[in-house]
């Protein structure tokens, strides 16, 4: 059900862990299925010089965290802010429709972490776009109990 | 990538067909292909084979052969039992009683009938997954026409107090159906002694083929047909018989009953060792379901701080086949209704793992699964923000 890229990032997650003296931390929970993601950022001269994640969730959530952290590493805060869940899903060579909300978690986690940094530095937080308008397409009940 | 070793511990999902059963089925595809409804000799052979299988199924249940009807599996048997009984008895009443942890083949059928105007009581279960007899007694009204409670649960393995339920239903004059799909070959069943009026079974859960099952209907039970058409199965279940499937079902059930005692002893010993070691070696783990009244091969445990789908993916990487009640795998993104019904919080259901052992599992498999499972849980916990918080909390005390 998952692409090779998703499986690669799930089996060998990049940037997994914690930054104890992080400059920005973002934690988001998934209202759809109850999962949690935490993003840690180290920021020097407006650049994401280090990033780590902790995730409690499915394969797609772990792979999205891993890919999202890869995509923002070395980027300016403005560039990192623009990394969308669609970009994460595309970089993973696609996610099953029912798993798109897991990549939203990564986008929101990054936004939260950047704003945490901005607030700590007396800067105006950027506007997070409607945090709970998750992609629910592919949400048909395909429950299979055996 | 494919793991070098495959350890199948998902026998409640399905089982491999016993080679002896495959051998017995084979001639009925290419040689004994006659339609039992026809007159010539090869058709008579098919008809005889069906009747042999009917006797085998009846013997396994303590029923009479003319109380056995072949179906396309457990789902059809459940649908027929419930829809057929309420349709034939709706003048008597419109109330059905079932329970919260039934398989969807029963639950969704009941929900459908609710939309058609029937009223349904979904009995709660206790924290082990058992229906309380006092709840059942209190729920039966003069409108009740059917009680349908599963023999054993497919997720947590809990065995329901079927004999007691049957007794109550008989005393109150209400039909009693039980979905025994998970119970066959694992638990002794006697439809007479247990006062069961209808019982569903499915061959692929006891080393028979997929797509074939049966419904036991006690003589005299008022039930309408589900499928209309030809006059097969004494005019009760239309459709040309699946002869190879029926032959396979018959032999599979006979073999399952014959080896039940010995196999249960062996499988439950393996299960007990695996369970004991899991609980001993992996902290923050709990057993879901009943401590003793459970299917011999069933383990259902929850690991705190981790999620089930990622557990299954890693286990699969090591060749281990298992299942989970996590929301992330459910398709509806809801956690298992069974785990919620026994009172687990959504997070605990999220971290649940079902391992169901069966005929081909060995001591070696148990050792291997333990080793890999330990690694998998540690690996996922290291990734989990909940575990990080937990570690900090325990350092601060
Ligand atoms: C308890 C229970 N009932 C019904 C079914 C459905 O049976 P089948 O797959 O033969 O339709 C299953 C298994 O899938 C089951 O575990
Ligand atoms: S985190 Fe639950 S479905 Fe992806």
């Amino acid at each position: 059900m998952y692409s090779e890229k998703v499986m690669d990032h799930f089996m060998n997650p990049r940037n997994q862990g914690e930054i104890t003296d992080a400059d920005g931390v973002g934690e988001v929970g998934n209202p759809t299925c109850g999962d949690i993601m935490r993003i840690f950022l180290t920021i020097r001269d407006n650049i994401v010089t280090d990033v780590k994640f902790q995730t409690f969730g499915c394969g797609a959530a772990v792979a999205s965290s891993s890919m999202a952290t890869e995509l923002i590493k070395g980027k300016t805060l403005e560039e990192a802010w623009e990394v969308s869940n669609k970009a994460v899903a595309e970089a993973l060579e696609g996610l099953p429709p029912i798993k798109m909300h897991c990549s939203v978690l990564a986008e929101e986690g990054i936004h939260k972490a950047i704003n945490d940094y901005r607030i700590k530095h007396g800067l105006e937080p950027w506007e997070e776009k409607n945090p709970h308008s998750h992609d629910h397409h592919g949400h048909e009940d395909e429950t299979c109990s055996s | 990538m494919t793991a070098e070793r495959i350890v199948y511990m998902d026998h409640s999902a399905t089982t491999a067909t016993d080679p002896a059963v495959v051998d017995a089925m084979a001639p009925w595809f290419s040689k004994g292909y006659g339609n039992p409804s026809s007159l010539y000799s090869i058709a008579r052979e098919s008809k005889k084979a069906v009747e042999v299988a009917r006797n085998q199924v009846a013997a396994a249940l303590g029923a009479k052969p003319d109380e056995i009807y072949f179906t396309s599996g457990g789902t059809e048997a459940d649908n027929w039992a419930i829809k057929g009984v309420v349709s034939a008895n709706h003048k008597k009443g419109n109330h059905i009683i079932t329970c919260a942890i039934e398989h969807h083949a029963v639950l969704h059928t009941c929900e459908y009938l609710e939309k058609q105007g029937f009223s349904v009581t979904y009995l709660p279960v206790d924290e082990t997954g058992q229906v309380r007899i006092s709840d059942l007694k209190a729920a039966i009204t003069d409108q009740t026409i059917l009680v349908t409670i599963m023999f054993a649960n497919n997720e947590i393995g809990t065995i329901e107090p079927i004999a007691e339920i049957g007794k109550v239903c008989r005393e109150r004059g209400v039909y009693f159906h039980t979905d025994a799909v998970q119970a066959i070959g694992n638990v002794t069943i006697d439809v007479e002694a247990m006062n069961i009026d209808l019982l569903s079974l499915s061959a692929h859960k006891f080393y028979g083929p997929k797509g074939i099952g049966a419904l036991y209907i006690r003589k005299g039970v008022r039930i309408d047909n589900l499928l209309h058409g030809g006059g097969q199965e004494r005019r009760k279940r239309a459709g040309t018989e699946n002869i190879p499937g029926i032959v396979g079902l018959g032999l599979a059930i006979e073999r399952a009953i014959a080896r039940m005692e010995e196999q249960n002893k062996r499988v439950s010993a393996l299960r007990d060792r695996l369970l004991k070691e899991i609980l001993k070696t992996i902290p923050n783990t709990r057993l879901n379901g009943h401590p003793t009244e459970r299917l011999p091969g069933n383990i259902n445990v929850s690991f705190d701080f981790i999620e089930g789908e990622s557990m299954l993916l890693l286990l699969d990487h090591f060749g281990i086949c298992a299942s989970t009640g996590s929301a992330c795998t459910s398709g509806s993104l809801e956690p298992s209704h069974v785990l919620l019904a026994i009172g687990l919080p959504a997070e605990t259901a999220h971290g649940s793992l079902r391992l169901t052992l069966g005929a081909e599992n060995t001591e070696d498999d148990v050792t291997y699964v333990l080793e890999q499972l330990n690694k998998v849980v540690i690996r996922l916990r290291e990734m989990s923000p909940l575990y990080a918080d937990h570690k900090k909390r325990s350092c601060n005390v």
Side-chain angles (χ1 to χ4, degrees), chain A:
Chain A
M1 110 179 198
Y2 288 132
S3 70
E4 263 174 50
K5 200 78 177 209
V6 171
M7 284 312 292
D8 173 35
H9 277 258
F10 173 72
M11 292 305 300
N12 311 291
R14 331 291 201 257
N15 309 311
Q16 174 206 320
E18 181 176 357
I19 302 175
T20 42
D21 55 349
D23 300 308
V25 180
E27 178 173 315
V28 281
N30 202 327
T32 316
C33 60
D35 300 302
I36 297 169
M37 188 182 297
R38 205 176 276 167
I39 302 276
F40 305 87
L41 300 175
T42 301
I43 294 160
R44 294 287 173 271
D45 303 326
N46 200 47
I47 292 191
V48 179
T49 55
D50 196 13
V51 49
K52 292 253 186 291
F53 79 86
Q54 289 175 332
T55 292
F56 160 73
C58 73
V62 172
S64 296
S65 319
S66 166
M67 180 56 85
T69 54
E70 282 288 274
L71 291 177
I72 65 168
K73 211 178 206 170
K75 297 271 165 63
T76 65
L77 286 191
E78 288 76 9
E79 289 166 338
W81 187 271
E82 290 306 317
V83 171
S84 68
N85 82 295
K86 292 216 168 54
V88 172
E90 266 163 38
L92 287 170
E93 290 166 2
L95 285 173
I98 197 164
K99 296 288 184 178
M100 280 305 284
H101 72 276
C102 317
S103 62
V104 174
L105 209 55
E107 178 186 327
E108 288 180 3
I110 291 167
H111 287 175
K112 274 252 168 69
I114 291 177
N115 273 340
D116 179 52
Y117 166 82
R118 292 184 60 85
I119 291 164
K120 277 184 192 151
H121 287 74
L123 300 166
E124 184 84 357
W126 288 332
E127 195 189 337
E128 291 170 37
K129 51 178 188 196
N130 31 327
H132 294 312
S133 72
H134 288 177
D135 246 319
H136 277 201
H137 58 234
H139 200 144
E140 75 274 22
D141 186 354
E142 49 191 33
T143 309
C144 166
S145 48
S146 35

Side-chain angles (χ1 to χ4, degrees), chain B residues 201-327:
Chain B
L201 59 89
S202 177
H204 73 101
K205 307 288 185 176
F206 47 87
Y207 311 93
K210 295 170 184 45
I212 188 77
L215 181 63
Y216 154 77
I217 307 174
R218 175 184 296 280
K219 212 179 193 112
V221 167
R222 288 168 52 91
I223 182 166
D224 285 348
N225 289 2
L226 180 70
L227 300 184
H228 302 272
Q232 291 88 353
E233 294 294 277
R234 302 173 310 288
R235 306 193 135 321
K236 279 197 181 315
R237 198 281 185 178
T240 299
E241 297 85 343
N242 171 359
I243 309 296
I246 290 171
V247 168
L249 165 59
L251 184 59
I253 203 165
E254 187 176 85
R255 290 170 70 87
I257 303 300
R259 67 166 175 242
M260 180 157 73
E261 203 178 305
E262 170 264 322
Q263 177 163 308
N264 281 356
K265 228 198 226 154
R266 201 183 68 79
V267 169
S268 63
L270 290 176
R271 187 270 317 269
D272 289 346
R273 181 180 147 225
L274 180 54
L275 176 60
K276 204 170 118 224
E277 290 293 318
I278 289 173
L279 295 175
K280 198 172 87 188
T281 57
I282 308 180
N284 300 97
T285 302
R286 57 158 283 168
L287 174 69
N288 302 320
H290 200 287
T292 54
E293 291 301 302
R294 68 191 298 142
L295 292 173
N298 178 286
I299 291 179
N300 192 310
V301 283
S302 283
F303 302 99
D304 286 347
F305 323 119
I306 61 177
E307 187 280 320
E309 187 205 274
S310 43
M311 222 180 328
L312 294 193
L313 289 172
L314 283 176
L315 288 172
D316 176 51
H317 181 78
F318 296 113
I320 299 167
C321 310
S323 83
T324 174
S326 163

